[in-house]
Amino acid sequence: MNITDELLSQAAPEAAERWLSTLPGREDCEHEFSLTFQAAMEPLLSRRRRRWKSLVLLAAVVAALGTLLVSAGAERRENYYVYADQQDGCVTYVVRPREDALEQEPHRLYMSWIPEGFVPDMVSTSSTPSGFLTRYVHRTDEERWIYLYQFYREETGGLLFGDYAVENLRVGGEEALLLSESGSGLLQLVWSSGFNCYSLSCSGLEKKDVLRIAENLKW
């Protein structure tokens, strides 16, 4: 049997419903997701217009395509620290720490500069054995926020769907990638320094502000 695009399109809604029917309800979900997963999903979760079922289905798709993060960079050079691959409305990125950096204990960085009007959100600020998550929100505009994910000795990556532009630049002399989604105001800056990998996700900020935050992280 020859499986065409038309047949796949016809079968997709039924297949999606079957997958969704096997998933637990939202009230039964108490799993604590890793910082890596949160970093990859935050730009999607910020869009309130998406319904719960759509998010659950997308999470299932991300899990099913997890191997893409490994295979997408088959042609990348061996000594990379940040890498992105973009095709067909999908961007995969990988950030990895340096293996030759001096050993040190993990400790949280703080933002020595943030745009006016932002305050720490302690509820969404947390730590794990392998990293830290710091969040700032705007006092009066809840659509503006800043997330800083800091991973220690851990390669991380993400999978983004949408119309993204990928820009190569530098943060603190290190290679970095800026991922910006057209029309949404979502910006994600990823880079590594020593044993640490960073992902700075922002909504409602300009590129210059995102770079200034990254350049002013302090111990």
Side-chain angles (χ1 to χ4, degrees), residues 76-165:
R76 64 191 174 217
R77 68 184 192 279
E78 292 184 0
N79 63 339
Y80 79 96
Y81 295 107
V82 291
Y83 173 84
D85 179 77
Q86 185 176 28
Q87 52 187 318
D88 299 328
C90 174
V91 177
T92 59
Y93 67 88
V94 181
V95 188
R96 73 179 188 183
R98 294 181 180 272
E99 298 178 355
D100 58 350
L102 294 176
E103 187 78 37
Q104 59 184 357
E105 292 297 319
H107 51 278
R108 187 193 301 271
L109 293 182
Y110 70 93
M111 303 179 196
S112 64
W113 181 87
I114 57 172
E116 184 177 354
F118 283 84
V119 294
D121 177 15
M122 301 309 297
V123 174
S124 299
T125 296
S126 59
S127 63
T128 70
S130 62
F132 305 96
L133 165 61
T134 303
R135 183 173 190 255
Y136 280 77
V137 293
H138 198 272
R139 289 191 182 94
T140 59
D141 187 352
E142 60 185 14
E143 296 299 323
R144 302 180 67 193
W145 43 258
I146 304 166
Y147 273 90
L148 174 64
Y149 301 85
Q150 177 185 344
F151 304 91
Y152 180 69
R153 296 184 63 89
E154 179 181 307
E155 180 176 300
T156 185
L159 177 61
L160 303 174
F161 296 97
D163 183 14
Y164 279 87

Side-chain angles (χ1 to χ4, degrees), residues 12-217:
E14 181 181 351
E17 192 59 39
R18 288 186 180 182
W19 275 100
L20 289 171
S21 66
T22 65
L23 297 173
R26 185 173 188 177
E27 64 280 0
D28 299 322
C29 297
E30 299 181 356
H31 178 71
E32 183 176 344
F33 292 100
S34 68
L35 292 181
T36 302
F37 184 84
Q38 292 181 53
M41 294 300 291
E42 177 56 35
L44 300 172
L45 293 171
S46 67
R47 300 170 189 168
R48 295 185 173 184
R49 63 179 179 272
R50 293 183 182 271
R51 294 187 296 178
W52 169 248
K53 278 194 172 184
S54 298
L55 288 172
V56 173
L57 178 58
L58 184 55
V61 172
V62 171
L65 296 178
T67 55
L68 184 60
L69 292 176
V70 177
S71 61
E75 297 181 359
R76 64 191 174 217
R77 68 184 192 279
E78 292 184 0
N79 63 339
Y80 79 96
Y81 295 107
V82 291
Y83 173 84
D85 179 77
Q86 185 176 28
Q87 52 187 318
D88 299 328
C90 174
V91 177
T92 59
Y93 67 88
V94 181
V95 188
R96 73 179 188 183
R98 294 181 180 272
E99 298 178 355
D100 58 350
L102 294 176
E103 187 78 37
Q104 59 184 357
E105 292 297 319
H107 51 278
R108 187 193 301 271
L109 293 182
Y110 70 93
M111 303 179 196
S112 64
W113 181 87
I114 57 172
E116 184 177 354
F118 283 84
V119 294
D121 177 15
M122 301 309 297
V123 174
S124 299
T125 296
S126 59
S127 63
T128 70
S130 62
F132 305 96
L133 165 61
T134 303
R135 183 173 190 255
Y136 280 77
V137 293
H138 198 272
R139 289 191 182 94
T140 59
D141 187 352
E142 60 185 14
E143 296 299 323
R144 302 180 67 193
W145 43 258
I146 304 166
Y147 273 90
L148 174 64
Y149 301 85
Q150 177 185 344
F151 304 91
Y152 180 69
R153 296 184 63 89
E154 179 181 307
E155 180 176 300
T156 185
L159 177 61
L160 303 174
F161 296 97
D163 183 14
Y164 279 87
V166 180
E167 181 180 353
N168 292 278
L169 36 76
R170 304 189 79 84
V171 171
E174 302 288 349
E175 296 178 59
L177 294 171
L178 181 66
L179 313 172
S180 55
E181 186 180 31
S182 176
S184 72
L186 295 175
L187 296 172
Q188 185 166 355
L189 181 67
V190 295
W191 75 101
S192 68
S193 179
F195 277 126
N196 291 289
C197 293
Y198 304 98
S199 173
L200 181 61
S201 298
C202 305
S203 175
L205 272 68
E206 296 183 11
K207 171 184 171 180
K208 62 181 180 63
D209 294 326
V210 177
L211 292 176
R212 185 173 177 182
I213 293 172
E215 293 283 2
N216 285 277
L217 296 179

